[in-house]
Amino acid sequence: QVQLVQSGAEVRKPGSSMKVSCKASGGTFNSYAISWVRQAPGQGLEWMGRIIPLIDMTMYAQKFQGRVTITADKSTSTAYLELSSLRSEDTAVYYCARDPSINSAFDMWGQGTMVTVSS
Amino acid sequence: NFILTQPHSVPESPGKTVTISCTRSSGNIASNYVQWYQQRPGSFPTTVIYEDNQRPSGVPDRFSGSIDSSSNSASLTISGLKTEDEADYYCQSYDNTYKVFGGGTKLTVL
């Protein structure tokens, strides 16, 4: 049974970058996309972008354009989220989610990775 | 880009029926499917409704979804409320190249 397993919690300084991984354990991505969704403490869900690993196609939310990079390594079935120029407002739990298509619901989630941005 | 607006919180009593709305700011709500997620504290979201009104296996039929083009909104209705339904609920839709979540509604069952 495929599970999405994310990397552990991180603490980063303002102005630095973060990189979170999401591995499809027990299987592969197949043709699915992987989306990244974040949730600041006490706040709602925010979609950041997605990648279709099979064709390396990415889409990003306008808010994060220029600061976010989503990549995938098909050989290890691992997706990555990089966010640069971090500020305190980027403190959040970052989730990866399996994303069958643009018009579908997310059907599997990673456990979440807490990223704290603090000096 | 459009936004999805939900009420911040909704209180209701056990056994009652509650409806949570999700209004799309621009574009036709019926043009793109709406999904609904339930999120309990400390956990990732889970889907309770997909494609406007479809229930995943394992979700009780107390949960239903609908679309109203006249108000350009989607609704999640939960009947026969149970204390275990207390959670945050998020609607989500999409356009050609991006996905959007509503701000979330905290359902309190008391």
Side-chain angles (χ1 to χ4, degrees), chain A residues 39 62 99 101 103-104 106, chain B residues 1 35 37 39 47 94 99:
Chain A
Q39 186 169 37
Q62 199 168 14
D99 187 3
S101 68
N103 61 355
S104 68
F106 304 112
Chain B
N1 290 12
Q35 344 286 355
Y37 302 92
Q39 186 181 32
T47 306
Y94 59 94
K99 298 199 172 194

Side-chain angles (χ1 to χ4, degrees), chain B:
Chain B
N1 290 12
F2 65 93
I3 62 172
L4 297 172
T5 301
Q6 300 181 232
H8 183 68
S9 64
V10 173
E12 192 48 272
S13 303
K16 299 290 190 182
T17 296
V18 69
T19 297
I20 299 171
S21 62
C22 170
T23 302
R24 181 167 170 157
S25 62
S26 60
N28 188 348
I29 190 75
S31 296
N32 308 103
Y33 287 132
V34 176
Q35 344 286 355
W36 288 91
Y37 302 92
Q38 176 192 69
Q39 186 181 32
R40 294 194 173 100
S43 186
F44 54 79
T46 60
T47 306
V48 292
I49 294 289
Y50 67 97
E51 292 179 4
D52 296 342
N53 54 19
Q54 301 299 303
R55 254 188 336 272
S57 60
V59 174
D61 61 5
R62 301 184 296 105
F63 289 79
S64 63
S66 63
I67 297 293
D68 180 0
S69 293
S70 66
S71 60
N72 213 35
S73 64
S75 293
L76 171 69
T77 298
I78 311 171
S79 60
L81 275 171
K82 301 184 177 186
T83 54
E84 68 207 45
D85 299 329
E86 184 163 293
D88 294 327
Y89 291 86
Y90 295 90
C91 59
Q92 177 258 308
S93 191
Y94 59 94
D95 207 320
N96 289 334
T97 60
Y98 61 91
K99 298 199 172 194
V100 177
F101 285 98
T105 298
K106 182 174 183 60
L107 172 63
T108 304
V109 182
L110 35 65

Side-chain angles (χ1 to χ4, degrees), chain A residues 51-69:
Chain A
I51 185 167
I52 304 175
L54 198 63
I55 55 175
D56 264 333
M57 178 176 165
T58 54
M59 299 174 182
Y60 298 124
Q62 199 168 14
K63 173 177 177 176
F64 301 102
Q65 290 273 5
R67 272 209 311 146
V68 66
T69 305

Side-chain angles (χ1 to χ4, degrees), chain A residues 39-105:
Chain A
Q39 186 169 37
Q43 302 300 309
L45 303 171
E46 185 171 32
W47 182 78
M48 300 180 69
R50 71 198 293 260
I51 185 167
I52 304 175
L54 198 63
I55 55 175
D56 264 333
M57 178 176 165
T58 54
M59 299 174 182
Y60 298 124
Q62 199 168 14
K63 173 177 177 176
F64 301 102
Q65 290 273 5
R67 272 209 311 146
V68 66
T69 305
I70 298 174
T71 57
D73 182 340
K74 290 187 287 291
S75 67
T76 60
S77 295
T78 304
Y80 299 92
L81 169 73
E82 273 188 279
L83 189 63
S84 62
S85 302
L86 291 171
R87 33 213 189 229
S88 58
E89 309 90 89
D90 295 316
T91 294
V93 175
Y94 289 78
Y95 293 102
C96 62
R98 195 171 73 172
D99 187 3
S101 68
I102 191 68
N103 61 355
S104 68

